Amino acid sequence: QVQLVESGGGLVQAGGSLRLSCAASGRPFSSYALGWFREAPGKEREFVAAVSRSGSNTTAGSVKGRFTISRDNAKNTVYLQMISLNPEDTAVYYCASRATTWFALPDSSYDYWGQGTQVTVSS
């Protein structure tokens, strides 16, 4: 099993920045790909970004150029750096893992999930 714990969320003004962290434990961190998803009130959970075992990554079009995903295998942590935040980014952000080399976009492709961290962007 894999345990995932997100942190770093909070309240920020539009245009501000946050860095989310997701600390993993359980299986060897380097053995799985990771993703970030978000769920806004009244909306379905959506893909944000993902990183493969090797560090290759992808981001959703809605956040491209503003959000960056990275992983630190030495710290068993995946990060989501977010800049130029706007109110539409307000959501609960979740990290997830899948025991494969490559990332995937569908949330159904991920095996383990964290509890989420709230990000609120005020206008």
Side-chain angles (χ1 to χ4, degrees):
Q1 288 192 350
V2 175
Q3 293 78 42
L4 302 168
V5 180
E6 301 96 335
S7 62
L11 174 64
V12 64
Q13 289 187 336
S17 302
L18 283 174
R19 188 178 78 159
L20 305 183
S21 300
C22 175
S25 60
R27 291 178 180 171
F29 185 74
S30 60
S31 69
Y32 44 88
L34 297 132
W36 283 99
F37 294 80
R38 66 185 182 184
E39 187 171 344
K43 296 185 178 180
E44 293 187 354
R45 185 164 55 192
E46 66 173 349
F47 170 81
V48 175
V51 60
S52 71
R53 289 176 58 182
S54 65
S56 299
N57 61 78
T58 188
T59 53
S62 60
V63 303
K64 194 174 294 289
R66 300 189 298 121
F67 291 12
T68 304
I69 188 171
S70 61
R71 65 186 296 162
D72 186 336
N73 289 347
K75 295 183 177 180
N76 293 353
T77 301
V78 60
Y79 302 99
L80 185 68
Q81 179 67 51
M82 307 184 294
I83 66 171
S84 301
L85 286 161
N86 58 64
E88 289 69 40
D89 296 316
T90 295
V92 178
Y93 285 71
Y94 299 90
C95 70
S97 68
R98 64 192 302 258
T100 62
T101 295
W102 285 103
F103 49 72
L105 272 61
D107 57 0
S108 58
S109 299
Y110 290 79
D111 307 306
Y112 297 98
W113 293 80
Q115 84 288 348
T117 186
Q118 176 71 47
V119 171
T120 303
V121 185
S122 64
S123 58

